[in-house]
Amino acid sequence: MAKGGSRAGGRGRDAAGKRRGAASGSAAKARPAKLQRPQPSPGPSPTPPAEPMPTTFLLGAIPGATPGKWIDTWKERMPRTSLELVPLAFADQRQALVDGEVDAALVRLPIDKDGLHVIPLYDEVPVVVCAKESHLTAAAELDTADLVGEVLIVPQDDVLGIRAPGTEKPRFAPPADTAEAIATVAAGVGIVVVPMSLARLHQRKDVEYRPLLDGPASTVALAWSVDRTTPAVDAFVGIVRGRTANSSRA
């Protein structure tokens, strides 16, 4: 019995051995191919150096624009870059931007926006400028119906394009600019309609002005060339938009 059991045990081992061998062979066949090591990804592209701030920032401004508060903020935040204000005629405002004569400008709309970034800032109330002795000064405010019969002077640098039904055209050539038109009004000849800032700019003791309630407003905007959005321009845009010194561009 012992021998038989021994042989049986041997057979069991042989069988188990075969099974183990078979299992080992199956495992060998199922072994996956050698994995390829991933190639290291290229590092980030080097960041180009930041464009340096210029020593001078040229800000154009049409007559009547009031950038004083923004200039004060610029001086506080950008002490190493001086801001130079460049006066611009309304007729020349776009060309100055296109030609790069200024970095940015306070302009009056409308303006051809092709190739420009334009941010409207505020609207100006139109006013009627008349001689101090004019009957129009009896009212605190006027509308176009009050101007019937008046001689409406439109200077060559007009920015409003106003048309008031019932007014009369002057019998003389249009004045070269607003200052000349207001001087003509002071002599008792006609009226002129301009944005309030221009009436204040050319204020005289012998003229007065009254708001024109239904007259065309004049929008002042900040504009700059699409191709010249420099760090200095970005800084000024942030000031105009009211960003704090530590805020992001969002």
Side-chain angles (χ1 to χ4, degrees), residues 104-193:
L106 297 175
V107 300
R108 287 192 187 277
L109 302 186
I111 188 173
D112 182 359
K113 297 181 180 180
D114 185 30
L116 300 179
H117 290 300
V118 180
I119 304 174
L121 300 178
Y122 58 88
D123 294 334
E124 282 199 72
V125 174
V127 299
V128 178
V129 182
C130 58
K132 196 166 187 176
E133 295 79 14
S134 172
H135 69 280
L136 296 175
T137 61
E141 298 173 329
L142 300 169
D143 57 36
T144 51
D146 297 319
L147 307 183
V148 173
E150 298 289 335
V151 175
L152 179 61
I153 301 173
V154 180
Q156 293 181 26
D157 63 351
D158 173 55
V159 298
L160 293 179
I162 185 171
R163 299 293 179 266
T167 57
E168 298 180 6
K169 291 184 178 181
R171 297 182 179 180
F172 48 85
D177 53 34
T178 299
E180 185 179 331
I182 291 179
T184 303
V185 167
V189 181
I191 60 172
V192 64
V193 180

